[in-house]
Amino acid sequence: MAQPVPPPRRDRARCRSRHSYEGFVEKRGPRDQGYRRVWAGLRGLTLAFYGGPRDCEPLEMLDLGELVAVRAEGGGLVLRLRGQEVTMKAESWEAQEMWRGFILTMAEMKVPTDLALLPGHLFQLSEALREERDRRATPGVPSCFFEVTRPEAERLLERSADGGNMVLRPGGHGRGVSVTTRQEVNGTVQVKHYKVNRVDQGYVVDVDTPHRCSSLAEVVQYFVESSKGSLQPLHREYSPRLGERDPQSSAPHPAPRRALQPPHNHGMAEELAKKLQLRRALTGD
């Protein structure tokens, strides 16, 4: 049984999952001798630290499901998790407050009421919360599922290399679901296929150590995380680039909304606030 094979690290920001919030921080944890400057990215309950903003493979990841408390102390933000403490220092007080807001929002699934932030920043948090709720609550078919055969999946990935390198498709003989991946390793293209068996209340990925998932979305996330971001799903909006009929065009599932890419600078956040105020003025809300 095959395992996802990560290729050499690529210096491309798109080779990893989109984050709800990200930026440079000074980070100190149990394995650090002192503070070190890293790029931090938050997605759901995963807080990842990278060497730089374009790195694909994280240096370390924290599971915010283990979060006990968050507090401001000594000019930094102390995250107390079960078994460890990690301190983050942002480049400004405002950025630190944004980190506190996003971390608590993802951990508690609600926007904290004690944040000293601008309306545009609070709008970012509300949008991130809405998208995270949708991501967790949607048990349906992910946007990288295509009604294609095994050979068609291979051609689909070959012709859309810039859009992703992994798709879900119906399993052979109408059984379960399969995952097809396409990676270039040391100049050699490797195409692999994995079985995903349907079981009671979930799915099991057929790899050396079978991995159980509660949804197809978790199956996708398993391949992304186990390959350290080198595998990324091909979303439906990229398929028209193939220059021929979209194999998914007849499927009933609507195209997914693009996630809001939150800005890192204050000017863009203020612009969001202005747009929100204008929308309210036009609609009378």
Side-chain angles (χ1 to χ4, degrees):
M1 290 176 286
Q3 285 279 15
V5 179
R9 189 176 70 177
R10 296 173 293 167
D11 188 24
R12 295 174 59 195
R14 70 181 302 160
C15 66
R16 49 180 163 79
S17 302
R18 182 185 292 113
H19 295 128
S20 299
Y21 191 67
E22 56 186 9
F24 279 112
V25 299
E26 298 288 331
K27 177 253 181 188
R28 185 183 67 188
R31 294 189 293 272
D32 301 321
Q33 295 181 351
Y35 284 98
R36 56 173 173 164
R37 182 177 170 84
V38 295
W39 183 264
L42 176 66
R43 175 176 170 80
L45 291 175
T46 300
L47 178 59
F49 299 102
Y50 303 85
R54 300 187 66 81
D55 283 5
C56 297
E57 299 179 14
L59 303 171
E60 181 182 352
M61 292 190 294
L62 298 181
D63 179 8
L64 296 184
E66 300 293 312
L67 186 68
V68 176
V70 180
R71 68 180 186 275
E73 181 180 295
L77 201 62
V78 179
L79 311 181
R80 186 158 66 90
L81 299 98
R82 294 185 181 90
Q84 65 172 318
E85 277 194 356
V86 175
T87 302
M88 297 168 49
K89 290 186 177 181
E91 296 182 323
S92 67
W93 178 87
E94 190 174 59
Q96 177 174 302
E97 188 73 348
M98 285 289 282
W99 276 114
R100 185 172 76 91
F102 269 97
I103 289 171
L104 287 174
T105 296
M106 294 297 108
E108 300 176 356
M109 291 304 291
K110 63 180 180 180
V111 178
T113 58
D114 63 343
L115 298 172
L117 293 171
L118 295 172
H121 296 148
L122 295 176
F123 176 71
Q124 284 181 252
L125 287 167
S126 298
E127 283 294 287
L129 176 59
R130 176 185 61 78
E131 290 166 5
E132 182 63 14
R133 281 175 174 165
D134 289 346
R135 189 175 73 87
R136 296 188 189 185
T138 303
V141 179
S143 63
C144 62
F145 183 91
F146 291 81
E147 289 285 351
V148 294
T149 63
R150 177 170 174 156
E152 287 172 341
E154 295 178 2
R155 291 196 294 270
L156 186 66
L157 291 176
E158 180 182 2
R159 297 170 184 172
S160 54
D162 291 335
N165 56 3
M166 172 178 62
V167 296
L168 270 66
R169 59 179 177 80
H173 306 290
R175 298 176 182 173
V177 177
S178 293
V179 176
T180 297
T181 66
R182 185 179 191 274
Q183 297 175 287
E184 185 172 334
V185 181
N186 297 326
T188 301
V189 174
Q190 295 185 356
V191 178
K192 294 184 180 294
H193 305 275
Y194 304 87
K195 293 181 180 179
V196 179
N197 300 312
R198 186 74 168 91
V199 296
D200 291 340
Q201 300 181 347
Y203 300 85
V204 173
V205 182
D206 189 15
V207 289
D208 289 340
T209 302
H211 183 81
R212 188 183 182 98
C213 301
S214 62
S215 67
L216 287 177
E218 282 193 18
V219 171
V220 174
Q221 192 63 23
Y222 162 73
F223 279 89
V224 172
E225 293 178 354
S226 63
S227 67
K228 297 184 178 179
S230 65
L231 288 175
Q232 289 295 314
L234 173 66
H235 292 294
R236 197 164 297 124
E237 57 263 36
Y238 290 104
S239 57
R241 297 180 181 180
L242 302 180
E244 61 183 32
R245 184 183 68 85
D246 178 5
Q248 183 67 15
S249 59
S250 61
H253 309 293
R257 292 187 300 267
R258 283 186 177 276
L260 176 68
Q261 184 69 19
H264 314 312
N265 59 64
H266 311 323
M268 293 180 70
E270 292 173 355
E271 183 66 22
L272 274 175
K274 292 178 182 179
K275 288 181 180 179
L276 179 61
Q277 293 171 356
L278 178 60
R279 183 187 305 170
R280 288 174 175 170
L282 292 175
T283 60
D285 291 344

